[in-house]
Amino acid sequence: MMLVSLISYIDRNTLALLAPTILRDTGLSAEGYGWVISAFSVAYMLGNPIWGRVLDRAGVRRGMLASVSLWSVASAAHALASGFWSFAALRALLGFGEGATFPGGLRTAMQTLPPSQRSRGIAVAYSGGSLGAVATPIIVTPIAAAFGWRGAFWFTGTIGVLWVLWWAIVSRRPELRHHERLESAPSGGGLSLRDSRLWSFMTIYALGGLPLAFVLYGSALYLGHVLGKSQVEIGHVLWIPPLGWEAGYFFWGWITDRFAAHGTSVRLVRRLMLVLTAVGLPLAFTTLNQSFPLTLLFMFLSMFASGGFVITSVAWATYTFSSRNAGLIAGIGAGSWSAVVAALMPLFGALFDRGRYDLAFPIAAACPVIGLGCWLLLMARGDKPRATVDTSI
């Protein structure tokens, strides 16, 4: 599951990495590029809860075989795209298929690991996304240099097909082949749109994780247009910010498991989110300097904090709600994140076109602050959580 999330992010980040070259060759504007990202995000938003429910009902084995087959075809077909509409359609198909990635990872962790290890298990499964963001510049840059950007997309489709063949063997494990319903978390109930805790989860996941998309999709354009870096130079360093994302998953996953193991008060989870918000704030000041290393550091810290928001919010939700809905919980979280990305990426693209990076970066940095405020407000208005976090997390 870690490898499939890695492949999913190689697939989606290949476009982001090669955006300067693709925009030049196809005539796309940065705003048009933002709408292409939005098409992916809308389809991803819809696909997450749909695949989450499919995985909860039909099982991880069959659901992941279907979804990865679909998105691998869509990824390879990017090599045939020539303009806005073809890119938008293929990104939408890719986004819908990739909607199974994190529901599958969470569902697998819940089925195969004891409660005391599940946050770290989720971190491992999810970490492929951040690792894919780290690996994409290293792997794809030389392929694109040798075979062009179209050749890079043929490569991404091929690795997806190889994973499908391997998964057909690996997923023969009894706990994955024979689908069973998960036990209900002792604190949890079902999911209801009238429950303010569900909306608080969606809000903190979406807005806390928004800087991940902003840095992933916008950093190459900023480094090229503002700092004057070439496509090759960008490829050599663009693995650094996602390394913070990777480190964030494991570090905050370990912290969350320690909370669970010792029955730590939910009040400390709120304090943890305050720390995460503070760590990510330097992103707002990126444009106040022209230092290449400092810019990369600010992006690194932002992704480190956002990874923590994702892991902490998912762990909190699997405690709060029934673990029978593990796939759907992951789908709702990732879908809400994608909805915010779909709404804001065209805005960021338009600001980039106008050279208003001084507005784009503070807006992205403010999203986790707003998310935390909404989370606290919704939690205060809803049912109060239990005094401790049980090891069922």
Side-chain angles (χ1 to χ4, degrees), residues 163-207:
W163 185 90
V164 167
L165 296 176
W166 191 28
W167 177 249
I169 299 172
V170 173
S171 61
R172 290 176 180 174
R173 287 181 54 164
E175 63 266 52
L176 296 178
R177 186 174 71 251
H178 303 300
H179 178 65
E180 297 180 0
R181 292 179 65 87
L182 292 169
E183 77 282 359
S184 177
S187 66
L191 297 173
S192 171
L193 290 176
R194 292 176 295 180
D195 191 338
S196 62
R197 296 175 302 172
L198 178 61
W199 289 99
S200 67
F201 163 61
M202 294 165 63
T203 301
I204 195 64
Y205 188 115
L207 293 174

Side-chain angles (χ1 to χ4, degrees), residues 328-362:
L328 184 58
I329 289 169
I332 289 173
S336 61
W337 174 83
S338 194
V340 172
V341 173
L344 291 183
M345 280 310 299
L347 169 63
F348 291 137
L351 291 173
F352 279 23
D353 273 338
R354 293 163 175 78
R356 297 307 308 270
Y357 300 98
D358 59 323
L359 288 179
F361 277 85

